[in-house]
Amino acid sequence: MPNERILVVEDERITAEDIRRRLLKMGYSVISTVDTGEKAIKEASDQKPDLILMDIILKGKMDGIEAAGQIHSRLNIPIVFLTAFTDEKILERAKATSPFGYIVKPFQDRDLHITIEIALYKSKIDKELRESKELFHTTLKSIGDAVIVMDQNSNIVFMNQVSQRLTGWDLKDASGKPIQEIYKIFNEVIGDRSESPLIRAMNTRIILETANQFTSDQATIDQSTLINKYGTMVPVEERCDMIIDDHGDVMGSVLVFSDISERIQIKKEQQERAQTQAFINKILQISLNDISLKEILEQILDHLITIPWIEFSLKGGIWVVEDEPDVLVLAAQRRLHNLQTICGRIPFGKCVCGRCASTGEIQYTDHVDEKHEVKYKNMSPHGNYCIPLVSSGKVIGIINLYLKEGRLRNLKEEELLKTIANVVAGIIQRKKTETELKRSNDFMSTVLNSINDAICIIDVQDQKILGFNSAFQKESGLEEKKIIGEHCYKITHNNTQACKPPDCVCALSETLRTGKHAVVEHLHYGADGKKIYLEVSTSPVRNETGRIIKVVHSTRNTTERKLVEEHLKQVNIELKRADELKTQFLSVISHELRTPLTPMNAQLQMMLAGYFGEITEKQRKSLDMTLKNTGRLDRLIGDVLDISKLESGVMKFNMLPASMNEIVENAVETMKIQALNKNMKITLKEDKIPLITIDKDRITQAILNLIHNAIKFTDAGGVIEVELSCDVQNVMVKVKDTGIGIRTEDINKLFKPFQQLDSSYGRKYEGSGLGLVICNRIIMKHGGKIWVESEFGKGSTFIFSIPLIHEVKEEKVESIMLEDKKE
């Protein structure tokens, strides 16, 4: 059933209603009825009906024909005119609007239905034809091939954009012209301009018709060269199809062609790449031969100078950097014998070859010009390609190839020569590396064979021996063929299976377990029952990924060293015993010496106090001197005893929390009287220090010693400055004086026992030379350090620092009894 939507334009209301009723009865959909042209245009624009029944005579300013004209131009909606007149002028006006039919009033339902159906069908066909044409033109515009459509006389009807671009002709200029005038081709096979593609297609058709083989789909395909409007030659591939009607008559033809320049270029480049790869494969094959580098380079030159697509003059040479940096040495040449002496050695930067080496860039010349600094008699005219040989960013040589004079530079050839140069550079570098490797192997073999240790290389996969030195072979007592490939445990331990820790100690297993160098000791017994000590060390050899692939196994006979060590051990035991006896002796002697000094000091003091009666001034001076020397003797005995205990490690340190501020303040107060006696001033500058774990008495002893020394070596009127400070880790004490100072060369003697710096001061400045040594030992026991800053003649500053947190480990010396052990 029809369901098309129809707009009725009729100014007679009764007639319009009658038409609407009839249409509905026929199954059409009436969207509306209007009575003026203006309303018809608006309703058509809004509703877009499938068909309009338009009365020609309408009321108002616009009749049906004018309204139909505007609707046709804007909307392309099919219109059927309704009219009661057959006026010829009116019908001529109506034709201009391209109506789809006429119905003369009055009309029958059958006439109305037929007219409407014919109009709708014609509209559908017109629409499909328009869409088909639009699709055809759009397709021709969008396809990549060039398309030319011709009539039966081979005159051009249509050209798409691609064909216009390739031929150089615009469609408006080419339309109607013969195809031969626009599409000029040259067939390289025939060697002349080709005939029309349509003629070739016709000839093909005739041949095929004769054989009863031709179909309407048959076409000819050929490859030719198009000569466009501007004389440019473009290689094309063409196909010509004839347009044949139902009777077999030729209505025209379609020529389709495409630019195949890129395809030809790609094919050419593929051929060149294949030739280049074949050439490179050839020179790589040459490099694998067991011949010298000179022979390899000569054979490469033979191939280089005969490359078929480059016009070389069959001459050339290769220079390499050998014994002297920045100097090229002629390593190979072809037909350049006279250059052996003239250009045997070329410094970088000299002539064309030298500039190539110094710049690292290709040097090109098309004739012998001022760039050629080296010239010789009978030099033939030529050009040059001079190509650097670069490895790891460094020029290691150059290739110089002679060209025919005047030949133009070709950048594509240069890219090829660069590629070949890279391969040659790799060959040279590899050959040099092989030579260096052989030298290195020979050197390593000489070194390893000169070593007394027995060395072998073990494969970690199966623990088989890969190599060894002469000492290993001598120790094993086997021939080379019986060592290489044998399991290491069989040769070194005479075992039938690998060592398995912890049952046996194996350096190889330890290295494989930890990945590090390992050392173990083995004790063997000789045939005579004597001990044989062996030290076995193993080191890993890794590949580029870090995996252990080999192990270097070294064995050293350490029997003699072990015997010496055992002897030294016994000597050390005896020394320790002697040191212990010395300490015991000094303790006893010091005690015995101090025992008579105590009553002597008491008696002397009593005499000076007048306990035994009045004494003369002369007697008082004598007694004062005696008392002073007994005190000095007592201090000397104390110093000797302290240093002996410190050095032997038997001195006990009572480590308890204490205040450094209190210790320093007390020490300064204690020494003030001594300073005042020499008309000196002592100052103290201190920070607040937290409690610190120390031996209070020993630290006090060290500070007093430093202040005592400062007073002793400073003349009357001097100043002593004491400073206490700390940071986050250490406490620091400084004692600065304005005394005699210390020479730079004497500073290292300060902390050595019984050392006084200058004998000329021996009488003036009395002392044992042990005070600073004792200070140093005390500070070291607290984990600290002591040093001095001094300028001779201007004074000294003694400084020590001890950590805020330090644990003193008591050292004990035990008596060691020597026992003779028999095996």
Side-chain angles (χ1 to χ4, degrees):
M1 293 290 292
N3 57 3
E4 284 80 2
R5 301 163 65 250
I6 299 176
L7 172 64
V8 177
V9 184
E10 173 63 58
D11 59 354
E12 292 290 337
R13 183 181 299 177
I14 296 174
T15 304
E17 179 59 26
D18 179 59
I19 294 172
R20 187 184 73 80
R21 182 178 51 78
R22 291 189 189 191
L23 291 174
L24 292 175
K25 185 177 179 181
M26 294 177 191
Y28 299 110
S29 174
V30 179
I31 60 173
S32 65
T33 59
V34 296
D35 56 0
T36 67
E38 291 83 358
K39 291 179 181 179
I41 293 172
K42 184 177 185 305
E43 195 70 12
S45 300
D46 294 341
Q47 298 294 331
K48 304 289 191 306
D50 296 312
L51 181 73
I52 299 175
L53 292 178
M54 177 78 73
D55 190 6
I56 292 178
I57 306 300
L58 296 172
K59 63 182 179 180
K61 297 179 180 181
M62 183 183 295
D63 65 6
I65 295 174
E66 186 177 350
Q70 292 191 29
I71 292 172
H72 175 71
S73 61
R74 296 180 191 176
L75 304 174
N76 204 23
I77 297 173
I79 297 175
V80 173
F81 283 120
L82 301 174
T83 181
F85 305 95
T86 58
D87 185 89
E88 195 169 316
K89 290 183 179 180
I90 293 176
L91 292 178
E92 285 298 321
R93 282 184 61 217
K95 285 181 183 179
T97 63
S98 302
F100 280 66
Y102 299 90
I103 298 178
V104 180
K105 300 176 185 178
F107 49 79
Q108 299 295 322
D109 288 353
R110 182 173 177 276
D111 296 333
L112 178 62
H113 187 238
I114 291 173
T115 302
I116 290 174
E117 287 299 312
I118 290 174
L120 289 172
Y121 179 76
K122 182 181 177 185
S123 174
K124 178 183 177 182
I125 295 301
D126 285 352
K127 182 179 179 182
E128 290 178 353
L129 181 60
R130 286 195 306 274
E131 291 175 352
S132 177
K133 287 182 178 180
E134 183 65 26
L135 177 63
F136 174 72
H137 281 87
T138 302
T139 302
L140 291 181
K141 290 178 182 178
S142 62
I143 63 175
D145 290 337
V147 179
I148 298 177
V149 180
M150 297 161 283
D151 60 17
Q152 65 270 28
N153 298 318
S154 294
N155 295 325
I156 293 176
V157 177
F158 172 82
M159 295 177 69
N160 69 349
Q161 291 292 333
V162 180
S163 65
Q164 292 178 59
R165 176 173 55 81
L166 291 179
T167 61
W169 286 85
D170 292 331
L171 176 60
K172 63 180 181 179
D173 296 330
S175 182
K177 295 183 181 297
I179 184 65
Q180 294 94 329
E181 185 177 336
I182 304 303
Y183 185 73
K184 300 177 181 180
I185 56 174
F186 179 85
N187 192 298
E188 295 180 2
V189 177
I190 301 174
D192 201 352
R193 294 180 184 269
S194 294
E195 59 190 349
S196 163
L198 179 58
I199 295 175
R200 293 203 305 278
M202 288 289 292
N203 291 336
T204 303
R205 179 174 180 270
I206 292 170
I207 295 170
L208 293 173
E209 265 186 340
T210 305
N212 294 320
Q213 296 175 350
F214 188 81
T215 68
S216 60
D217 295 330
Q218 195 69 46
T220 62
I221 301 176
D222 202 356
Q223 181 174 322
S224 305
T225 301
L226 168 66
I227 304 172
N228 68 14
K229 183 178 181 180
Y230 307 105
T232 304
M233 303 181 74
V234 181
V236 295
E237 185 177 79
E238 60 183 17
R239 174 188 178 96
C240 188
D241 293 305
M242 291 181 295
I243 303 173
I244 300 173
D245 62 14
D246 294 338
H247 303 290
D249 297 327
V250 176
M251 299 173 60
S253 61
V254 177
L255 174 65
V256 180
F257 58 98
S258 58
D259 182 354
I260 59 173
S261 302
E262 185 175 350
R263 190 197 310 171
I264 292 174
Q265 182 63 28
I266 291 173
K267 186 176 181 181
K268 181 180 178 182
E269 289 176 356
Q270 289 175 340
Q271 291 174 342
E272 289 178 355
R273 281 198 295 269
Q275 290 174 324
T276 302
Q277 189 59 52
F279 181 83
I280 290 173
N281 292 340
K282 182 63 179 178
I283 63 177
L284 287 173
Q285 186 63 42
I286 292 171
S287 71
L288 297 177
N289 296 333
D290 187 18
I291 55 179
S292 67
L293 177 61
K294 182 177 184 297
E295 292 174 298
I296 290 174
L297 296 180
E298 286 176 343
Q299 292 188 27
I300 289 174
L301 265 179
D302 287 337
H303 286 78
L304 261 176
I305 60 180
T306 56
I307 292 178
W309 59 91
I310 303 179
E311 296 178 274
F312 291 128
S313 61
L314 305 180
K315 294 181 181 181
I318 299 178
W319 282 256
V320 298
V321 179
E322 288 186 349
D323 54 341
E324 188 178 351
D326 297 339
V327 173
L328 297 170
V329 178
L330 183 60
Q333 56 82 24
R334 280 295 181 257
R335 299 177 182 85
L336 296 176
H337 303 289
N338 52 346
L339 291 187
Q340 196 69 47
T341 54
I342 300 172
C343 295
R345 298 178 70 84
I346 304 174
F348 277 34
K350 183 178 181 180
C351 204
V352 179
C353 296
R355 276 194 298 277
C356 175
S358 62
T359 62
E361 298 177 354
I362 288 181
Q363 299 294 311
Y364 171 83
T365 61
D366 60 1
H367 66 286
V368 178
D369 55 13
E370 67 281 356
K371 295 179 183 179
H372 290 75
E373 299 174 23
V374 179
K375 297 180 182 178
Y376 52 91
K377 189 177 180 181
N378 299 326
M379 177 186 283
S380 59
H382 66 275
N384 290 94
Y385 264 134
C386 208
I387 313 103
L389 301 173
V390 182
S391 177
S392 301
K394 184 178 180 181
V395 175
I396 62 170
I398 62 102
I399 301 175
N400 189 348
L401 303 172
Y402 278 46
L403 299 168
K404 292 182 179 180
E405 185 179 40
R407 190 179 185 279
L408 296 178
R409 187 170 191 171
N410 188 316
L411 297 180
K412 199 168 184 180
E413 287 178 355
E414 290 188 11
E415 289 301 318
L416 167 64
L417 294 174
K418 284 180 183 178
T419 301
I420 294 172
N422 289 336
V423 176
V424 175
I427 292 171
I428 293 173
Q429 198 61 44
R430 178 173 61 81
K431 199 67 178 178
K432 285 186 174 182
T433 302
E434 289 174 356
T435 303
E436 288 299 320
L437 181 61
K438 185 177 183 304
R439 290 176 183 171
S440 177
N441 288 338
D442 292 343
F443 173 76
M444 288 299 298
S445 178
T446 302
V447 171
L448 290 174
N449 287 327
S450 67
I451 295 174
N452 292 326
D453 295 349
I455 300 173
C456 67
I457 312 297
I458 301 172
D459 188 339
V460 299
Q461 291 296 325
D462 50 18
Q463 297 190 17
K464 289 185 177 181
I465 296 174
L466 302 174
F468 55 88
N469 68 346
S470 56
F472 185 89
Q473 184 177 11
K474 182 179 179 181
E475 185 179 281
S476 67
L478 298 173
E479 298 178 0
E480 180 181 351
K481 63 182 180 180
K482 292 185 178 181
I483 299 176
I484 295 294
E486 188 56 82
H487 292 100
C488 63
Y489 48 80
K490 183 175 182 181
I491 301 294
T492 58
H493 298 299
N494 198 27
N495 288 339
T496 57
Q497 58 184 2
C499 302
K500 295 181 180 179
D503 297 333
C504 65
V505 180
C506 178
L508 174 62
S509 300
E510 188 66 13
T511 291
L512 294 180
R513 184 182 69 83
T514 64
K516 299 178 180 179
H517 175 73
V519 179
V520 300
E521 292 185 343
H522 289 284
L523 174 60
H524 293 192
Y525 290 91
D528 54 1
K530 290 184 178 180
K531 290 181 179 180
I532 301 175
Y533 292 95
L534 298 176
E535 182 182 86
V536 179
S537 65
T538 50
S539 299
V541 178
R542 303 177 186 273
N543 63 7
E544 62 277 2
T545 64
R547 185 171 64 87
I548 298 175
I549 55 173
K550 299 173 187 175
V551 169
V552 179
H553 183 287
S554 176
T555 305
R556 176 177 294 180
N557 190 325
T558 60
T559 303
E560 185 176 345
R561 189 189 74 192
K562 280 290 182 182
L563 293 176
V564 172
E565 287 176 355
E566 287 184 0
H567 176 68
L568 289 176
K569 188 186 245 186
Q570 290 299 113
V571 171
N572 285 334
I573 292 172
E574 292 298 329
L575 289 174
K576 286 183 179 180
R577 288 182 62 189
D579 192 58
E580 188 180 58
L581 291 172
K582 178 197 75 173
T583 302
Q584 292 174 358
F585 170 75
L586 288 173
S587 296
V588 172
I589 291 300
S590 298
H591 177 72
E592 293 301 322
L593 288 174
R594 274 181 166 173
T595 299
L597 283 175
T598 302
M600 287 172 62
N601 282 333
Q603 292 295 318
L604 289 169
Q605 290 173 3
M606 289 171 68
M607 288 179 185
L608 286 169
Y611 185 80
F612 298 111
E614 291 293 330
I615 59 174
T616 65
E617 187 61 29
K618 190 174 183 180
Q619 288 173 333
R620 181 179 296 279
K621 288 182 178 180
S622 178
L623 289 172
D624 279 337
M625 184 179 296
T626 304
L627 183 61
K628 182 179 180 181
N629 280 288
T630 56
R632 181 184 174 195
L633 180 59
D634 186 52
R635 288 194 302 273
L636 178 59
I637 292 169
D639 287 347
V640 171
L641 185 58
D642 283 348
I643 196 65
S644 177
K645 288 180 180 180
L646 286 166
E647 288 189 342
S648 62
V650 298
M651 178 177 281
K652 303 295 183 179
F653 282 80
N654 187 21
M655 306 296 286
L656 294 171
S659 170
M660 281 296 294
N661 292 91
E662 181 183 337
I663 293 171
V664 174
E665 289 168 3
N666 289 339
V668 171
E669 286 297 321
T670 301
M671 300 303 295
K672 273 185 178 181
I673 296 175
Q674 186 177 338
L676 287 173
N677 290 338
K678 288 189 67 174
N679 192 26
M680 292 181 183
K681 182 180 179 182
I682 298 181
T683 64
L684 173 61
K685 180 182 178 182
E686 60 180 325
D687 296 335
K688 186 62 178 176
I689 309 298
L691 292 181
I692 180 173
T693 301
I694 55 175
D695 187 317
K696 181 178 180 180
D697 293 336
R698 296 301 176 190
I699 292 296
T700 299
Q701 179 183 356
I703 297 172
L704 287 172
N705 205 327
L706 293 177
I707 298 175
H708 174 76
N709 279 355
I711 294 172
K712 182 169 67 172
F713 292 102
T714 302
D715 293 335
V719 177
I720 309 298
E721 297 176 2
V722 180
E723 183 180 337
L724 173 64
S725 62
C726 79
D727 56 25
V728 293
Q729 293 181 326
N730 299 295
V731 176
M732 187 176 295
V733 176
K734 293 183 181 180
V735 179
K736 182 178 180 181
D737 63 56
T738 57
I740 62 174
I742 306 166
R743 291 185 177 89
T744 303
E745 62 269 19
D746 291 333
I747 289 178
N748 290 333
K749 302 176 184 178
L750 287 176
F751 302 105
K752 295 180 180 179
F754 306 104
Q755 294 283 330
Q756 280 201 328
L757 303 186
D758 191 337
S759 59
S760 64
Y761 293 99
R763 293 181 181 178
K764 185 175 180 181
Y765 304 105
E766 299 173 347
S768 63
L770 294 175
L772 288 178
V773 178
I774 293 170
C775 289
N776 187 32
R777 296 288 195 275
I778 291 171
I779 299 305
M780 288 175 63
K781 288 294 183 180
H782 284 77
K785 60 182 179 177
I786 186 170
W787 67 98
V788 64
E789 299 171 356
S790 181
E791 185 176 353
F792 185 69
K794 293 186 178 181
S796 303
T797 301
F798 282 85
I799 311 160
F800 74 79
S801 67
I802 55 176
L804 288 167
I805 301 174
H806 177 67
E807 182 181 352
V808 176
K809 296 181 179 179
E810 294 291 343
E811 296 182 5
K812 296 182 180 179
V813 178
E814 301 177 354
S815 298
I816 302 175
M817 300 298 293
L818 294 177
E819 295 182 0
D820 294 330
K821 295 184 179 181
K822 296 182 180 180
E823 297 297 335

